[in-house]
Amino acid sequence: MKGLTCFLIWLFLLETQAFEIPINGLPEFAEYGDLVELAPGKFQFVPEKRRYQRSLSGESGEVMENVDQVTLYSYKVQSTITSRMANTIIQSKLVNNSPQPQNVVFDVQIPKGAFISNFTMTVDGTTFTSSIKEKTVGRALYSQARAKGKTAGLVRSRAVDMENFKMEVNVLPGVKVQFELHYQEVKWRKLGSYEHRLHLQPGRLAKHLEVDVWIIEPQGLKFLHVPDTFEGHFDGVPVLSKGHQKAHVSFKPTVAQQRKCSNCSETAVDGELVVMYDVNREEKAGELEVFNGYFVHFFAPENLDPIPKNILFVIDVSGSMWGIKMKQTVEAMKTILDDLRAEDQFSVVDFNHNVRTWRNDLVSATKAQVADAKRYIEKIQPNGGTNINEALLRAIFILNEANNLGLLDPNSVSLIILVSDGDPTVGEVKLSKIQKNVKQNIQDNVSLFSLGIGFDVDYDFLKRLSNENRGIAQRIYGNQDTSSQLKKFYNQVSTPLLRNVQFNYPHTSVTDVTQNSFHNYFGGSEIVVAGKFDPDKLEQVQSIITATSANTELVLETLAQMDDLEDFLSKDKHADPDFTKKLWAYLTINQLLVERSLAPTAAAKRKITKTILQMSLEHHIVTPLTAMVIENEAGDERMLADSPPQDHSCCSGALYYGSKVAPGSIPSWAKPSPTPVTAMLAVGGQLLESTPPPHVIRVENDPHFIIYLPKSQKNICFNIDSEPGKILNLVSDPESGILVNGQLIGAKKPQNGKLRTYFGKLGFYFQNEDLKIEISTETITLSRGSHTSILSWSDTAHIINQRVLVSVKKEKTVTVTQDKEMSFSVLLHRVWKKHPVNVDFLGIYIPPTHKFSPNVHGLLGQFMHEPKIHIFNERPGKDPEKTEASMQVKGQKLTVTRGFQKDYRTDIVFGTDVPCWFVHNSGKGFIDGHYKDYFVPHLYSILKWP
């Protein structure tokens, strides 16, 4: 959910009556008698964007005389936090003491993600109240007021962060004005604590300034702290009181204490008052609170071993990062790399208009590798444009490659951390297209976190990008310490403790649960789930949580009684009895707003929109779908507080600028491009600069064989033209006891006089384990002796049989791994069932390994020990668009042609064009013997090679 918009409402009133300021706008601030007073907090000022202030002249002494143009009679802020649900009221009372009309401004900074729930204003005896309307209804009421010539005001903010509410009123001499704003927010746990931030900006000295924060936590308070955020100016002013389950923070500076200096007329109250606390968790990992037909479940286990992580750092090194930003980023990255544990894997991708990688593969975080990565980062010189699209796709490719090849610990967590300070200017610059590319390529077990630096970055885009891919985004401004903020952000997401957290509430009376599954839990944070139940049918709520830690599977069961919480809340006048209802509504609306932005169809989006609108009106809160109508009782004056539509920065019709727009938004190594119109020369090193090293030997449709030769850094391709039903031996290693065969199937009918063939079935035989694995386009069958297990492609499963691990990813891949050292990946290609020609088929990918014996053979096995090749005499071919060359291999001289074959690992639908040298006549001269020598009679027959 976006933060709240900056509201600006102009109102010009000509009435001259005066009025008395009401004194009952806020309840009196009482104190708990049984609380223990703590030492006053220390403060430290964090510069924010400065707000407009009025300088008052002629002020002196503690008593404020009526010689000021506008006197701030009182400025009061009250927050009550009940089980992480915060309700805040800000009230300001002013009077115009000048003989001339004055503009009076009520300017409030709202925390990002908060919802405004109410606003009232009294001007010269006329009271304006607010109501929440559907946005089109609110605009219609505003239009009616204008049409009748009545006073009306309207603003639609263009502020990116939408975090201000601003009201400006023109008042006549002697007129008194009162403003009161209500908003609510949920406190999220970060780095082991909750932070409640109040932006105090009275704009002038206040005769009475009071700030009170009441905290009521049934779980019990672990600690309470108010950091110094005003450079010591208010040292000793805040008073902290803390009990077992309740706390109070009071901040009431006198007029003298408010002054910037002893004879200054400007206020020093311009910044954030921050209250930090945490709750007790020693006895249990979660807290289930049930009240008034709603429940809230807080889950934050501690004392767990960290899970290994696979992390890609994607760092913007464009020209705009030059100077202090780059220096601080480098310093932060050096510290972050030192924090990696030995069991972690990592790499670094840096990008401007080009994309580079420190390593093309993930590597273990050894001291030597970390030191080398730090040296690499230190040498970065920022320059050029910003190609976010290709940089993210490169990082995703590295993680996908490692996952597909079985190189990742099954118990690990995969992360991408993007650090950027600007909009994309090179390659694909359309934000919605970049989102789509990332979503289509990233795997379900990878989380994308984004950190936006400075004022120019499109933070809304980064939020959508991260929310859509199981991550979060954060923004830091150019005047903040980039290094410390980057390290703080990293610390929030760098300690995964649990995977696949699942919440279950088995009773049928429990409904409308906000979220019942989370991919990962990170140390220092908290998972919050809320839902509804029928109190007439259920007096207690049961929860069952399952999760995977570094060492074991966890199952936690909790039972909560409604009476316990009701008795506790009834004894405290500051506790909010509706906190469970408000928290459920807050979480649900935010969840629906995310789902709405990601809705796959217009119908789905309309359905979600209707639900959000109904909830916004029912709970009286401003969201992107509602507007706040502010009017007097007679309806003579009317204003509208309106927010901009969601995701305005990437919608159709927006303008995008870039110095270079690529013809396709996915680079050539990640998605196929049209057939090139110019020939490409086969220079291995240059090719590898633009394409990730394809460290696999692979077979795809028709069947296309792509042999990657690591020493030569060349791809050699050939096709096998055979008949449906034939079985080809791919790998045969009697000494290691490993066999892989593939059976061909044909298309439904010939095209251009030729019947295309594919692999429709693959057989793996591990002799030492007596394990046979048959993979078809329908099922995966494991047989060992008389025991047989059958899996469907619709399953996601992991099966371990002695030294062999079989991992099935639903409708995508099967990975067969032996001893974590040798792996085979099988990709499933589905086609439209009613396609007149094509059929479902399989592709197989085998990474080069030294684990096979010297006598390994087969169409693929023979290349596990790389033959020497020499390619020379490149020349134009018979087709002017295809280069020919001579290749010396195995004592023979062959004519090869430069071309492309498809690699479907990153794009299973269209495939990626892989440049290679093509050997004609079914690989004759490159493979040993003739391709028919590799025919075997049965799926598990061993190849007998002379």
Side-chain angles (χ1 to χ4, degrees):
M1 164 66 187
K2 292 185 175 183
L4 290 165
T5 188
C6 167
F7 295 109
L8 172 61
I9 303 177
W10 295 84
L11 177 63
F12 297 97
L13 299 177
L14 301 180
E15 291 86 339
T16 59
Q17 300 96 323
F19 73 102
E20 293 296 322
I21 299 177
I23 60 173
N24 58 353
L26 283 175
E28 291 300 317
F29 298 113
E31 295 189 12
Y32 292 137
D34 60 342
L35 299 185
V36 179
E37 186 171 314
L38 304 179
K42 298 293 184 180
F43 284 69
Q44 179 181 355
F45 180 60
V46 180
E48 287 284 351
K49 188 177 180 182
R50 299 282 296 183
R51 312 302 304 172
Y52 173 72
Q53 298 181 350
R54 296 180 187 273
S55 177
L56 303 180
S57 59
E59 255 187 334
S60 63
E62 186 66 20
V63 179
M64 300 180 66
E65 302 295 337
N66 286 339
V67 296
D68 308 324
Q69 289 185 337
V70 176
T71 299
L72 179 57
Y73 177 78
S74 73
Y75 184 84
K76 293 184 179 182
V77 180
Q78 175 179 310
S79 286
T80 59
I81 305 172
T82 308
S83 284
R84 288 70 141 186
M85 188 70 217
N87 295 281
T88 299
I89 305 172
I90 300 177
Q91 184 194 77
S92 181
K93 300 177 182 178
L94 307 98
V95 59
N96 179 13
N97 295 314
S98 76
Q100 302 295 326
Q102 297 291 327
N103 282 345
V104 176
V105 179
F106 179 67
D107 191 353
V108 177
Q109 193 168 357
I110 306 296
K112 297 173 184 176
F115 287 142
I116 288 179
S117 56
N118 192 29
F119 175 74
T120 59
M121 176 178 68
T122 305
V123 182
D124 200 15
T126 302
T127 299
F128 292 77
T129 57
S130 64
S131 60
I132 307 298
K133 305 290 184 183
E134 193 273 327
K135 185 167 288 190
T136 56
V137 174
R139 290 176 180 172
L141 291 172
Y142 163 76
S143 299
Q144 290 173 11
R146 283 188 60 88
K148 295 178 180 179
K150 296 179 180 178
T151 305
L154 169 68
V155 135
R156 295 172 212 159
S157 169
R158 296 302 176 192
V160 173
D161 293 318
M162 298 187 302
E163 55 186 9
N164 289 78
F165 182 100
K166 187 174 182 180
M167 173 73 73
E168 186 165 349
V169 181
N170 185 271
V171 295
L172 295 176
V175 169
K176 300 175 182 179
V177 183
Q178 174 179 301
F179 304 101
E180 186 171 300
L181 180 71
H182 298 230
Y183 66 85
Q184 58 192 46
E185 56 176 324
V186 171
K187 300 286 97 182
W188 299 107
R189 188 169 185 254
K190 296 180 180 179
L191 301 180
S193 67
Y194 305 95
E195 283 189 0
H196 185 58
R197 295 179 174 268
L198 294 172
H199 299 262
L200 305 180
Q201 297 163 326
R204 64 188 69 241
L205 298 172
K207 292 184 68 174
H208 306 282
L209 193 152
E210 300 180 16
V211 180
D212 288 86
V213 179
W214 299 96
I215 303 173
I216 302 99
E217 289 287 354
Q219 202 168 338
L221 289 165
K222 185 176 182 179
F223 70 84
L224 176 69
H225 176 56
V226 177
D228 182 358
T229 53
F230 289 93
E231 296 183 317
H233 187 91
F234 296 107
D235 191 13
V237 175
V239 178
L240 284 67
S241 304
K242 175 181 173 295
H244 175 58
Q245 296 170 302
K246 305 171 185 178
H248 176 224
V249 176
S250 174
F251 177 69
K252 301 179 181 179
T254 64
V255 174
Q257 290 171 325
Q258 294 174 45
R259 297 181 189 276
K260 279 190 173 182
C261 59
S262 59
N263 58 352
C264 292
S265 59
E266 293 182 338
T267 179
V269 184
D270 185 8
E272 288 186 323
L273 177 68
V274 180
V275 179
M276 302 175 64
Y277 74 94
D278 197 14
V279 299
N280 293 320
R281 293 185 176 81
E282 287 80 3
E283 298 180 359
K284 49 187 177 180
E287 176 79 2
L288 183 59
E289 298 179 357
V290 180
F291 190 64
N292 279 353
Y294 296 86
F295 71 86
V296 182
H297 200 162
F298 303 101
F299 182 66
E302 296 182 338
N303 303 319
L304 296 172
D305 293 331
I307 295 174
K309 59 180 175 288
N310 317 298
I311 186 166
L312 261 295
F313 298 98
V314 182
I315 304 172
D316 185 346
V317 297
S318 60
S320 57
M321 287 287 288
W322 183 266
I324 188 65
K325 281 193 288 188
M326 193 71 243
K327 181 180 179 181
Q328 291 182 343
T329 300
V330 169
E331 291 304 310
M333 282 301 304
K334 289 163 66 177
T335 303
I336 288 169
L337 291 173
D338 284 334
D339 289 339
L340 293 173
R341 295 183 296 274
E343 61 269 24
D344 296 335
Q345 296 189 88
F346 78 105
S347 188
V348 178
V349 176
D350 61 293
F351 69 97
N352 46 27
H353 51 284
N354 294 317
V355 177
R356 293 166 297 276
T357 55
W358 166 66
R359 292 285 187 271
N360 284 317
D361 303 299
L362 290 168
V363 299
S364 297
T366 62
K367 290 184 178 179
Q369 295 286 18
V370 167
D372 189 68
K374 289 162 73 173
R375 287 191 293 270
Y376 175 84
I377 292 171
E378 287 174 342
K379 294 178 182 178
I380 291 175
Q381 295 294 323
N383 64 85
T386 307
N387 193 344
I388 293 177
N389 182 71
E390 187 165 346
L392 287 175
L393 291 180
R394 179 68 61 88
I396 293 168
F397 182 93
I398 292 172
L399 281 173
N400 289 354
E401 179 99 340
N403 188 50
N404 291 340
L405 297 178
L407 303 178
L408 303 183
D409 184 340
N411 291 322
S412 64
V413 169
S414 296
L415 317 171
I416 295 173
I417 295 183
L418 168 66
V419 181
S420 179
D421 76 331
D423 291 340
T425 61
V426 176
E428 177 57 70
V429 295
K430 189 173 183 180
L431 303 183
S432 58
K433 185 62 176 176
I434 295 174
Q435 278 181 253
K436 183 178 180 181
N437 292 342
V438 171
K439 184 65 176 176
Q440 287 180 342
N441 286 274
I442 199 168
Q443 294 187 353
D444 292 341
N445 60 346
V446 179
S447 296
L448 171 60
F449 299 92
S450 304
L451 185 67
I453 302 175
F455 297 96
D456 297 328
V457 68
D458 191 328
Y459 181 61
D460 284 346
F461 164 64
L462 295 183
K463 282 200 296 185
R464 289 191 303 273
L465 200 61
S466 294
N467 289 342
E468 191 174 15
N469 297 289
R470 299 159 294 282
I472 60 173
Q474 186 168 313
R475 179 177 189 168
I476 58 176
Y477 294 94
N479 57 356
Q480 290 178 313
D481 182 356
T482 301
S483 180
S484 63
Q485 292 292 320
L486 176 54
K487 285 184 282 189
K488 183 177 179 181
F489 179 71
Y490 170 76
N491 289 336
Q492 291 181 36
V493 301
S494 63
T495 314
L497 299 180
L498 292 174
R499 298 185 303 112
N500 303 324
V501 184
Q502 304 281 334
F503 289 77
N504 183 35
Y505 305 91
H507 200 283
T508 56
S509 293
V510 175
T511 60
D512 297 326
V513 178
T514 53
Q515 195 67 269
N516 55 18
S517 66
F518 294 81
H519 282 269
N520 305 314
Y521 165 71
F522 295 89
S525 65
E526 184 173 58
I527 296 176
V528 184
V529 178
K532 299 167 68 175
F533 69 96
D534 187 345
D536 294 331
K537 298 180 181 179
L538 203 61
E539 294 182 355
Q540 60 185 14
V541 174
Q542 179 191 17
S543 77
I544 301 173
I545 304 174
T546 60
T548 303
S549 70
N551 303 313
T552 186
E553 296 287 333
L554 300 180
V555 179
L556 304 173
E557 186 171 349
T558 305
L559 201 63
Q561 301 282 349
M562 186 167 62
D563 295 341
D564 298 340
L565 188 59
E566 185 174 8
D567 181 62
F568 172 77
L569 294 175
S570 65
K571 296 177 181 179
D572 193 284
K573 64 179 181 179
H574 293 285
D576 182 359
D578 292 325
F579 84 92
T580 51
K581 180 180 179 181
K582 291 178 180 178
L583 208 152
W584 171 81
Y586 182 97
L587 294 177
T588 301
I589 290 174
N590 273 288
Q591 177 180 311
L592 290 171
L593 284 167
V594 173
E595 292 176 4
R596 180 177 181 266
S597 68
L598 307 177
T601 64
K605 188 171 185 177
R606 285 194 297 270
K607 183 178 180 181
I608 297 171
T609 300
K610 182 179 179 181
T611 304
I612 297 172
L613 180 58
Q614 289 174 341
M615 291 191 64
S616 301
L617 297 175
E618 179 182 349
H619 295 273
H620 199 268
I621 50 181
V622 179
T623 68
L625 305 181
T626 56
M628 178 181 285
V629 177
I630 305 165
E631 58 186 345
N632 63 356
E633 185 176 358
D636 295 327
E637 287 82 33
R638 183 176 294 157
M639 295 153 287
L640 180 68
D642 192 8
S643 62
Q646 223 186 358
D647 301 346
H648 58 270
S649 60
C650 78
C651 304
S652 59
L655 298 177
Y656 304 92
Y657 300 92
S659 59
K660 178 182 177 182
V661 180
S665 57
I666 299 183
S668 60
W669 49 264
K671 187 175 180 180
S673 56
T675 303
V677 295
T678 57
M680 293 181 63
L681 297 179
V683 182
Q686 294 179 359
L687 276 176
L688 292 176
E689 290 177 3
S690 59
T691 60
H695 299 305
V696 291
I697 295 173
R698 58 186 77 95
V699 187
E700 282 290 355
N701 56 317
D702 204 22
H704 300 320
F705 290 74
I706 307 175
I707 309 299
Y708 174 67
L709 304 177
K711 294 179 182 178
S712 305
Q713 293 191 345
K714 298 287 193 296
N715 286 312
I716 309 298
C717 304
F718 61 92
N719 293 348
I720 295 294
D721 296 319
S722 190
E723 305 170 10
K726 294 293 185 181
I727 300 175
L728 291 167
N729 174 254
L730 303 178
V731 178
S732 184
D733 189 2
E735 293 183 28
S736 301
I738 297 175
L739 173 77
V740 183
N741 292 333
Q743 186 172 30
L744 299 176
I745 58 173
K748 295 177 182 177
K749 64 180 180 180
Q751 273 190 314
N752 300 322
K754 178 183 176 181
L755 182 67
R756 305 186 72 177
T757 55
Y758 314 85
F759 278 124
K761 187 180 294 184
L762 293 167
F764 296 82
Y765 179 42
F766 295 90
Q767 188 175 17
N768 296 334
E769 288 77 20
D770 189 26
L771 176 64
K772 296 178 180 179
I773 304 171
E774 179 181 308
I775 302 176
S776 71
T777 57
E778 301 299 328
T779 58
I780 302 99
T781 304
L782 288 76
S783 303
R784 186 169 181 265
S786 60
H787 300 283
T788 300
S789 299
I790 300 177
L791 297 173
S792 167
W793 278 100
S794 61
D795 296 323
T796 294
H798 301 279
I799 297 179
I800 300 178
N801 198 311
Q802 294 186 357
R803 298 186 302 153
V804 179
L805 169 66
V806 179
S807 300
V808 182
K809 188 171 183 180
K810 182 179 179 180
E811 294 293 339
K812 290 185 178 180
T813 59
V814 173
T815 303
V816 181
T817 307
Q818 185 185 49
D819 292 334
K820 298 183 180 180
E821 297 176 338
M822 183 185 301
S823 64
F824 308 85
S825 292
V826 178
L827 268 66
L828 173 65
H829 297 266
R830 290 280 192 221
V831 300
W832 180 40
K833 290 184 177 181
K834 296 183 180 180
H835 195 285
V837 177
N838 296 339
V839 294
D840 296 344
F841 66 95
L842 304 173
I844 181 170
Y845 296 77
I846 307 175
T849 176
H850 299 294
K851 299 302 178 181
F852 289 105
S853 74
N855 296 321
V856 63
H857 213 277
L859 277 170
L860 298 179
Q862 62 188 293
F863 299 106
M864 296 301 167
H865 304 291
E866 183 175 336
K868 292 183 179 180
I869 66 167
H870 175 54
I871 296 175
F872 59 98
N873 190 24
E874 296 179 22
R875 55 196 181 270
K878 297 177 181 178
D879 184 339
E881 295 184 355
K882 294 182 179 180
T883 299
E884 284 187 355
S886 298
M887 182 172 74
Q888 195 78 32
V889 60
K890 297 180 179 180
Q892 300 188 60
K893 180 181 177 182
L894 308 177
T895 298
V896 292
T897 304
R898 190 65 168 160
F900 291 86
Q901 293 282 35
K902 294 289 187 184
D903 181 341
Y904 289 91
R905 286 174 297 163
T906 56
D907 189 329
I908 203 165
V909 178
F910 300 104
T912 301
D913 280 341
V914 175
C916 65
W917 289 103
F918 187 80
V919 180
H920 302 274
N921 300 319
S922 297
K924 185 178 181 180
F926 181 61
I927 64 173
D928 294 337
H930 192 274
Y931 81 87
K932 292 184 178 180
D933 297 334
Y934 298 86
F935 286 164
V936 291
H938 305 292
L939 195 60
Y940 299 107
S941 298
I942 296 175
L943 177 70
K944 296 180 180 180
W945 193 259

